[in-house]
Amino acid sequence: MFESILVANRGEIAVRVIRACRELGIRAVAVYSEADRRALHVLEADEAYLIGPPPSSESYLRVDKILEVARESGAEAIHPGYGFLAERAPFSAAVRDAGLVFIGPSPETISAMGDKTEARRRMKAAGVPIVPGVTEAISDPDSATEVAEEIGYPVLLKASAGGGGKGMRVVQETSDLEKSFEAASREAQAAFGDGSVYLERYLDAPRHIEIQVMGDRSGKVLHFGERECSIQRRHQKLIEEAPSPVVSEELRAEMGAAAVRAAEAVDYLGAGTVEFLFKDGEFFFLEMNTRLQVEHPVTELVYGIDLVELQMRVAAGEDLTLQQADLVPTGHSIECRITSEDAKRGFLPSTGRVDFLKAPGGPGVRWDGGIIAGFEVGLHYDPLLGKLIVHAPSREAAVRRMARCLEELVIRGVETCIPFHRSVMDEEDFRSGNLSIRYLEDHPDLISEPDEDEILKAAAVAAALLQEEERSRVEIQTTQRAETGGFSAWKRAGRPFSGNR
Ligand code: MV4
């Protein structure tokens, strides 16, 4: 096993990975930006290195700085968390080329799954069901028309280099196809620098159900069942659960086997997620995410495993000793993502100093927080403050437990989406497990769009805050540069309870 791991991330996921390191006796090296001097991940790490100003492009995305810290700190491996550099093939390659271990799949695997038509070709060849449609990019509107007629309307235009919904266009009939083709291609070009698009049959209001997989260096791949992730807004998941209310033991085995074939088809190493759309009892491959996902805890709770520990073990060359037949989910787990967004104002991001935080507790409760009281929530990073996860014997009990925990959870100083989650726990369709990716559109009462005044006000506040951060940045740089050599609150104070390390 590694002696030292660099965690190339921030927020709750950096804290989560550092916790796993500490339990395994691995030295955790954090990196942080100037906006994160007081961040929890800096406090919990054994060592922390300042790598740049607040913007991600100047800190958490700086491959050169991160590799420099790895060298300086003597870290043997790099855990990318999710987001930032996690699914960038060149980063995985650069880590490997620096003689370090990337805790994640190879650059080849990341690239294969990043190209959505190549992924579809590989899945088809591996016998994984894909949504009916093409497996090569379409070159012009005329061939698009031909294909659309074959697969039947409505169809969905997607970006080959896509993911996350950018460059997607639903097309209802031939007369709309040419215009939508050009628009989707333009959008894809702008977003990914690659204008190729392809076509699939459009599924209306499916569920989003994904399978967790894990592969080792010997080629063994296990699956850890499904997560139901249908409740989302603009491709940001809000609530996830395991198991899915609609997946039977038989379907789990079938989807799990398909996900394992998917992973095997790209020589998968480490933790990954195979996303499916599920409709009328049928499932179709959507994408594979070649990283640890935000919602991994619900899988951990129903399977009684530590996915981050497993990631580290397989990255270090250990074989998976678990057997598929022994992997059976127990009870039910739900996760609510707690963000600094105000659902009643159309999920407008909120900023401010968190002056009070009270996390819930008790049996079957897990708080994966990324912040502590005193932390200044800004606009440089995604608004996830933490995740509230519960586990209980049944779905009904888990919903009740989550509702109780949402009452206990208090965060003051920024607006949060806690009230939204409280409303969902009371909502009929959620309580009966009647979900689809249209859940929020179907329940407009749970959110409201901000009026124009509020948007303008928020934009003005955001601009003022950014300006202020920009000013203080210069001051911070000149007064505290001495810390760049590697700062640790614990190194100075002496970490308590560090006897065995
Ligand atoms: C689809 C679809 C319906 N039919 N594909 C959205 C993001 C991208 N990764 C794939 N997405 C979708 N693909 C077909 N053929 C609907 C979506 C979709 C979606 C999928 C998963 C979770 C949330 C979603 C929200 C809107 C659209």
Side-chain angles (χ1 to χ4, degrees):
M1 183 48 105
F2 309 112
E3 278 182 17
S4 171
I5 292 175
L6 184 151
V7 184
N9 215 299
R10 65 175 305 282
E12 69 84 20
I13 195 61
V15 175
R16 166 71 186 91
V17 173
I18 291 165
R19 284 176 171 152
C21 289
R22 296 191 53 75
E23 288 185 9
L24 294 166
I26 298 166
R27 187 163 55 97
V29 178
V31 293
Y32 65 99
S33 76
E34 282 160 9
D36 279 339
R37 291 178 177 280
R38 291 161 199 277
L40 182 57
H41 78 282
V42 173
L43 193 64
E44 300 296 9
D46 294 287
E47 287 168 37
Y49 292 77
L50 179 62
I51 51 167
S56 314
S57 58
E58 296 176 54
S59 51
Y60 296 104
L61 292 172
R62 282 290 295 268
V63 174
D64 55 340
K65 294 230 173 133
I66 288 164
L67 291 178
E68 190 189 314
V69 170
R71 194 164 44 241
E72 199 179 320
S73 65
E76 298 152 275
I78 298 185
H79 195 301
Y82 53 70
F84 295 126
L85 299 166
E87 289 180 280
R88 300 204 180 180
F91 181 61
S92 172
V95 173
R96 188 172 69 183
D97 294 346
L100 305 169
V101 177
F102 179 74
I103 301 179
S106 70
E108 294 77 17
T109 299
I110 298 174
S111 298
M113 284 305 188
D115 178 333
K116 303 307 167 191
T117 50
E118 181 178 351
R120 280 170 61 81
R121 289 192 292 278
R122 295 220 193 190
M123 295 306 106
K124 197 174 171 185
V128 179
I130 58 175
V131 187
V134 298
T135 54
E136 301 283 348
I138 293 179
S139 55
D140 58 280
D142 286 348
S143 9
T145 306
E146 230 172 87
V147 172
E149 232 109 87
E150 252 171 57
I151 63 180
Y153 286 95
V155 295
L156 186 57
L157 286 160
K158 291 185 173 182
S160 305
K166 266 184 214 141
M168 283 195 347
R169 278 282 189 300
V170 182
V171 185
Q172 298 291 347
E173 51 189 22
T174 307
S175 59
D176 294 339
L177 193 49
E178 182 164 347
K179 229 176 69 202
S180 296
F181 182 89
E182 306 293 359
S185 182
R186 238 182 295 115
E187 210 173 302
Q189 181 67 42
F192 311 108
D194 174 357
S196 342
V197 296
Y198 66 102
L199 256 181
E200 285 178 12
R201 179 186 298 155
Y202 175 66
L203 303 180
D204 186 38
R207 286 175 184 253
H208 175 159
I209 300 177
E210 59 187 29
I211 303 275
Q212 176 70 53
V213 296
M214 178 76 66
D216 70 17
R217 288 189 196 273
S218 76
K220 178 174 177 176
V221 178
L222 295 172
H223 77 82
F224 295 91
E226 80 284 2
R227 294 185 287 258
E228 162 87 55
C229 306
S230 295
I231 301 187
Q232 52 84 40
R233 177 181 173 274
R234 300 189 183 169
H235 309 292
Q236 292 299 317
K237 294 165 187 162
L238 294 165
I239 300 174
E240 306 95 345
E241 57 185 299
S244 164
V246 292
V247 173
S248 65
E249 208 177 305
E250 295 70 40
L251 181 57
R252 179 169 308 119
E254 200 188 330
M255 291 180 82
V260 167
R261 288 198 301 277
E264 285 170 347
V266 290
D267 301 319
Y268 207 82
L269 172 68
T273 297
V274 184
E275 297 186 341
F276 294 100
L277 291 180
F278 179 89
K279 175 135 183 177
D280 303 327
E282 278 189 290
F283 63 91
F284 306 95
F285 171 84
L286 194 56
E287 289 175 17
M288 180 168 189
N289 299 320
T290 54
R291 59 166 192 273
L292 183 72
Q293 302 216 145
V294 176
E295 60 273 25
H296 75 276
V298 294
T299 300
E300 294 186 321
L301 294 185
V302 293
Y303 282 90
I305 49 154
D306 181 333
L307 286 166
V308 179
E309 174 180 349
L310 288 175
Q311 277 189 301
M312 291 171 179
R313 291 194 183 283
V314 297
E318 288 183 35
D319 284 343
L320 290 164
T321 54
L322 296 163
Q323 299 301 327
Q324 189 65 57
D326 299 333
L327 299 177
V328 180
T330 302
H332 200 94
S333 179
I334 303 175
E335 170 178 284
C336 288
R337 296 190 185 191
I338 310 299
T339 66
S340 50
E341 295 172 312
D342 186 349
K344 281 294 168 204
R345 293 192 182 126
F347 281 83
L348 216 57
S350 160
T351 60
R353 188 185 137 98
V354 174
D355 47 37
F356 182 82
L357 188 153
K358 176 168 71 77
V365 178
R366 172 168 164 184
W367 168 245
D368 276 22
I371 55 153
I372 41 177
F375 186 73
E376 190 79 42
V377 177
L379 292 169
H380 286 290
Y381 312 113
D382 94 19
L384 187 66
L385 302 175
K387 305 176 311 205
L388 180 54
I389 311 116
V390 300
H391 186 226
S394 67
R395 188 173 189 275
E396 295 67 39
V399 173
R400 284 198 305 271
R401 179 160 282 166
M402 180 59 84
R404 185 268 291 176
C405 288
L406 287 164
E407 294 300 326
E408 284 185 21
L409 177 63
V410 179
I411 299 175
R412 295 263 158 75
V414 283
E415 296 296 329
T416 74
C417 62
I418 296 169
F420 162 79
H421 287 302
R422 289 185 185 137
S423 314
V424 175
M425 293 305 125
D426 279 338
E427 194 282 319
E428 262 325 294
D429 282 329
F430 177 76
R431 291 187 88 98
S432 56
N434 184 21
L435 310 173
S436 83
I437 62 172
R438 283 186 47 89
Y439 179 83
L440 253 59
E441 285 97 319
D442 293 342
H443 298 87
D445 290 357
L446 295 168
I447 52 175
S448 41
E449 291 308 317
D451 62 36
E452 209 162 316
D453 270 8
E454 297 212 72
I455 294 173
L456 287 172
K457 213 164 67 191
V461 170
L465 271 166
L466 279 172
Q467 224 169 31
E468 196 173 311
E469 281 180 40
E470 189 61 28
R471 261 199 307 279
S472 68
R473 181 166 83 72
V474 179
E475 287 161 33
I476 287 166
Q477 264 180 338
T478 52
T479 58
Q480 297 184 359
R481 191 174 291 147
E483 281 182 10
T484 50
F487 152 84
S488 167
W490 296 122
K491 231 186 337 193
R492 285 184 317 199
R495 183 182 261 283
F497 317 119
S498 61
N500 61 344
R501 308 180 67 248

